[in-house]
Amino acid sequence: MVNKNNSTLQGSPNHGDNTQSVHAGTSRKKALNSLTTPIVQSATYTFENTADLIAFLEAKTWGNGEKTRDEYGRYGNPTVSAVEKRLAALEGTDGKGETDAVLFSSGMAAITTLLLTVLKAGQHVVMTDDVYRRTRIFCETTLAKFGIDTSVVPVGDYDALENAVVKGKTRLIISETPTNPYLRVTDLERIKTIAKANRCLTMIDTTFATPINLCPLEWGIDYVIHSATKYIGGHNDVLGGVLIGNEMRVKPIRDARGAYGNTVDPQAAFLIERGIKTLSLRVRQQNETAQRIAEYLQQHPKVDHVYYPGLASHPDHEVASKQMTGFGGVVSFELAGDLQTTGDFIDALQIPYIAPSLGGVESLVEQPALMSYYDKTSEERAALGMSDSLVRYAVGIEDCDDLIADLEQALATIPERELSDIWEIKFRV
Ligand code: PLP
């Protein structure tokens, strides 16, 4: 396990994750003696006089003096900046300079802005196949229109990844960890080594891990992405996204946000900041609950397979233990049943809601075969490695005993199988 407290964090480097989540990056003295970060609901910012304007422009244009104020809402906002500083502090450092974070109106806004900024026609992207479906679609359609090719390699196959890299052409390696829905964990050291040997940049989407469980910058990754809609916001009430990296690398992406205009509203930024204050508390509890649920499901005769990186049976358990301080709040499992039985089981659950997200205080459950692959036949889903009986359970902060009791009663509604079937499935090689 990595001891994150050894890392040098911005703001309060010696503080733990809970203290950082509440305080890091914010100024102790806030406007009008407010304790909380004020929501600065202003589209533009005024200058006292022309001398004031010139002082600002000198700092902004020529670097003469420190730029300490905002100018226009698309370029920056004090509420948004407070969130960015907090997230930069939580994410640690690459050891080569200051970390910076740029907040966006959604996770996809952060991802697409990064891609459109660092890539140009004729270049090439390599990505692992388990990345968020919209990211892959964006690369294979929109980037393709601009003459940027994408190669997709199986997650966990580092030889395939290395072979897919074209020296001098591949600019970016994209991966995610843990992935959705099978929770594969990418070995960041191996990704970094391949990228370094081929002079590529690396982007890792760690929405499922959060900075509490994993800080990819500390493993030499260039760009970290989170959908802040998930754990960072944490309450299923706000959309947001963030890109984090060394400030030199992040600057062009901040500038691009000013051009694309996919900024986050100050009200949304405030909700995200409020969510971050309990990030560490929530995530630690969600880690514990998910681990217990995974262990409970693993021994249940009506569950064929459990996917959770905290289980020794998970293919990436070793790399997850090396790289993460917790295994996350999502558990996926295959039931002893088909598309229909699985839907019936989900309907029998009484605590989680059926919804396509994760990371909030409410537990959410979904059947990926329906939620994400409804347009495919059973055979097509099987060919994609997507089981009809797979359930993705994203734990909230409810009491673990209640969630397990709820699972127990829902599992009891699944018809019993013949003992011989159970034997065959549980012990197949
Ligand atoms: N990355 C991952 C891993 C996601 O799960 C999602 C959304 O589900 C996104 C990115 C996109 O984030 P958003 O919905 O905030 O645009």
Side-chain angles (χ1 to χ4, degrees), residues 160-189:
L161 198 149
E162 194 157 17
N163 290 334
V165 171
V166 185
K167 250 203 165 74
K169 191 164 187 265
T170 307
R171 179 69 181 137
L172 184 66
I173 298 177
I174 301 179
S175 194
E176 212 167 285
T177 190
T179 65
N180 176 37
Y182 288 106
L183 305 164
R184 297 297 308 267
V185 175
T186 307
D187 188 331
L188 300 183
E189 249 170 354

Side-chain angles (χ1 to χ4, degrees), residues 106-109 111 132 135 176 205 207-208 227-230 239-240 358:
S106 70
M108 278 314 293
I111 292 166
Y132 180 56
T135 305
E176 212 167 285
D205 183 332
T207 298
F208 276 53
S227 164
T229 315
K230 312 297 184 318
L239 286 172
L358 61 132

Side-chain angles (χ1 to χ4, degrees), residues 236-278:
N236 291 318
D237 56 6
V238 64
L239 286 172
V242 64
L243 166 96
I244 307 164
N246 185 296
E247 68 175 348
M248 302 295 282
R249 289 211 187 286
V250 166
K251 183 167 183 321
I253 292 128
R254 181 179 291 286
D255 292 345
R257 183 188 65 177
Y260 301 155
N262 46 11
T263 44
V264 59
D265 183 82
Q267 302 270 351
F270 176 82
L271 285 176
I272 294 170
E273 199 225 6
R274 193 172 63 167
I276 297 170
K277 290 180 188 180
T278 54

